[in-house]
Amino acid sequence: MTSATLQRPRRRRGGIRRGQTASGYLFTAPAVILLVVFLAIPILMALWVSVSDWGGRGSPFSSDVRFVGLRNYAAITSGGGLAESDFGTALRNNLWYVLLVVPLQTVLALLLASLVNSRILRGRGFFRTAFYFPSVTSSVAITVLWFFLFNPTGAVNALLGIVGIQGPNWPADASGVLHDLLALVGVRGGPGFLTGGGFLGVSWWDWLAGPSVGMLILISMAVFTTSGTFMLLFIAGLQNLSQEVEEAAMVDGASGWQRFRLVTLPQLRPTLFTVLTLGLIGTWQVFDQVYAGSKGDPGKTTLTPAFLSYTAGFINQQWGQAAAIAFILFAIIVALTLLQRWVLRERGVSQRRMRRGGFTQGPDGRYGTADRLLNTAVLAETGVGTGDTGRDPR
């Protein structure tokens, strides 16, 4: 006699999860397709152009376009001609632009954010709008206005004339600021080891010339127009800070500067990283201000890699070199961003630093100090709340 065995139907595991996954792919597909079509494919095409001899006509993937390897990269980095010299000059100009604009706009944005975030300031909404307004104005309009202000007979030289200073011919002065300062003390030429050697076709003495007087126009304009945007980021960061640590510092008798330096600023590290990263990327990609204002003049002292890439491709029809400049600039931005991330990374408080800061280790392995303000500063820096201050940093 045989008995029939009834088997229960097996439940399909993960069916709901598979359905959710399919729905997720479906909803994200339009954005992914747009990124692939308008971002990934153009980047790959530009990468091919940088290693080919494409002349700008027809398809870069046609049979008559040849692979030339790193020839375009070598022409602008070790070719020894005008292409290398122009690329070195553009990097030097942009480097001084970054070194001045990024710190100035960050400090100014933080000061403005601290000002308009103060509870005792009346009309905070008006000041926020006023400080942010230049950031939403057309860059071309701001550039035209800024160069008009810095004309030899413009408002800037008129203000300098009131205090007895004869202003320079800003748009036409190609001299380096540091060289001008050295000339005031009688130094009008560099030593042989600086004038004899160089990098990328530019002597070390010219690398140390500083930004030109004409470049100061673009530097001041960048600080004026971008500080408002970063001010909003700092305001958002300030409004999300823990008030308990701030109040604890006030109870401990910390002054306003001590609270800002030891409590507020360490808690703003994520916002500071965002501001510095965006500022670094924006300053290395400056183009429209140069295109609308100076075209690289005077004497190529306002030439930037982004504008050089444009002129190499659209003016000189050197499309391979133009793409190579763009990818070298991309590599510079990525490398500096990673370096900046490493510098601003979260760090634990080491035992040596705790001892140097006046903390002593108790029998239970915990660290403590009689200085309550120091306790508050360490709490803010390590991101710990207002709980136990004697945690073992290990």
Side-chain angles (χ1 to χ4, degrees):
M1 182 177 180
T2 60
S3 60
T5 304
L6 298 178
Q7 296 182 352
R8 295 182 179 179
R10 295 182 178 180
R11 182 176 299 177
R12 298 177 60 184
R13 297 181 180 179
I16 298 179
R17 182 174 299 177
R18 285 195 295 269
Q20 292 177 344
T21 303
S23 299
Y25 285 134
L26 180 64
F27 281 108
T28 58
V32 173
I33 292 174
L34 290 176
L35 289 176
V36 170
V37 173
F38 294 103
L39 184 62
I41 293 179
I43 289 177
L44 295 177
M45 292 178 64
L47 182 61
W48 164 249
V49 170
S50 69
V51 294
S52 68
D53 62 351
W54 184 58
R57 294 184 178 181
S59 172
F61 301 103
S62 60
S63 58
D64 57 340
V65 177
R66 298 176 301 172
F67 174 77
V68 296
L70 300 178
R71 184 186 304 174
N72 294 318
Y73 292 90
I76 60 177
T77 57
S78 60
L82 183 61
E84 180 188 1
S85 176
D86 286 347
F87 183 64
T89 301
L91 278 183
R92 179 203 62 183
N93 299 336
N94 215 147
L95 179 62
W96 284 108
Y97 182 85
V98 172
L99 290 177
L100 290 177
V101 171
V102 173
L104 290 177
Q105 70 184 8
T106 303
V107 172
L108 181 59
L110 183 56
L111 291 177
L112 294 178
S114 301
L115 176 64
V116 300
N117 195 55
S118 176
R119 298 179 180 178
I120 62 176
L121 179 67
R122 295 183 179 181
R124 287 180 293 176
F126 168 78
F127 286 106
R128 291 179 184 177
T129 304
F131 294 148
Y132 181 67
F133 182 75
S135 301
V136 297
T137 307
S138 170
S139 61
V140 176
I142 289 289
T143 302
V144 173
L145 173 62
W146 216 255
F147 274 82
F148 177 76
L149 294 176
F150 279 86
N151 273 336
T153 57
V156 174
N157 281 352
L159 292 175
L160 293 176
I162 295 177
V163 295
I165 300 176
Q166 183 179 359
N169 186 357
W170 299 88
D173 196 335
S175 60
V177 174
L178 296 183
H179 283 180
D180 291 342
L181 295 177
L182 291 175
L184 295 178
V185 295
V187 179
R188 301 187 179 277
F193 70 93
L194 290 179
T195 57
F199 178 63
L200 293 177
V202 181
S203 67
W204 295 118
W205 177 248
D206 290 333
W207 276 95
L208 299 177
S212 68
V213 176
M215 177 61 84
L216 293 180
I217 302 176
L218 300 178
I219 291 174
S220 60
M221 179 174 58
V223 174
F224 175 77
T225 55
T226 57
S227 298
T229 301
F230 297 139
M231 176 197 69
L232 295 183
L233 296 179
F234 277 123
I235 290 177
L238 288 172
Q239 292 179 348
N240 288 328
L241 295 184
S242 173
Q243 296 298 323
E244 297 178 355
V245 180
E246 181 80 13
E247 293 172 357
M250 294 178 63
V251 173
D252 292 340
S255 63
W257 169 246
Q258 288 177 323
R259 294 197 306 272
F260 177 80
R261 181 173 61 90
L262 299 175
V263 178
T264 302
L265 196 58
Q267 294 183 92
L268 285 176
R269 183 177 296 169
T271 306
L272 186 62
F273 171 76
T274 302
V275 169
L276 290 176
T277 301
L278 294 178
L280 185 69
I281 294 174
T283 50
W284 275 107
Q285 294 179 340
V286 57
F287 168 78
D288 46 353
Q289 295 88 345
V290 178
Y291 179 81
S294 64
K295 298 293 192 300
D297 295 327
K300 298 183 179 180
T301 57
T302 60
L303 185 67
T304 61
F307 186 76
L308 181 62
S309 178
Y310 162 79
T311 57
F314 290 92
I315 306 299
N316 301 328
Q317 299 299 309
Q318 299 287 341
W319 292 97
Q321 293 184 13
I325 294 172
F327 276 98
I328 292 177
L329 184 60
F330 171 76
I332 292 174
I333 293 174
V334 171
L336 292 179
T337 302
L338 293 177
L339 176 62
Q340 181 175 278
R341 182 175 182 178
W342 178 79
V343 171
L344 294 178
R345 71 189 186 280
E346 294 287 344
R347 297 181 178 90
V349 182
S350 64
Q351 297 181 10
R352 179 181 300 178
R353 188 175 179 185
M354 294 285 282
R355 290 192 294 267
R356 287 182 178 179
F359 287 83
T360 57
Q361 189 174 16
D364 57 352
R366 298 175 181 268
Y367 283 82
T369 180
D371 190 345
R372 300 180 63 190
L373 178 58
L374 188 58
N375 271 328
T376 305
V378 172
L379 284 175
E381 185 174 356
T382 56
V384 184
T386 56
D388 188 3
T389 63
R391 295 186 179 180
D392 191 345
R394 295 172 295 180

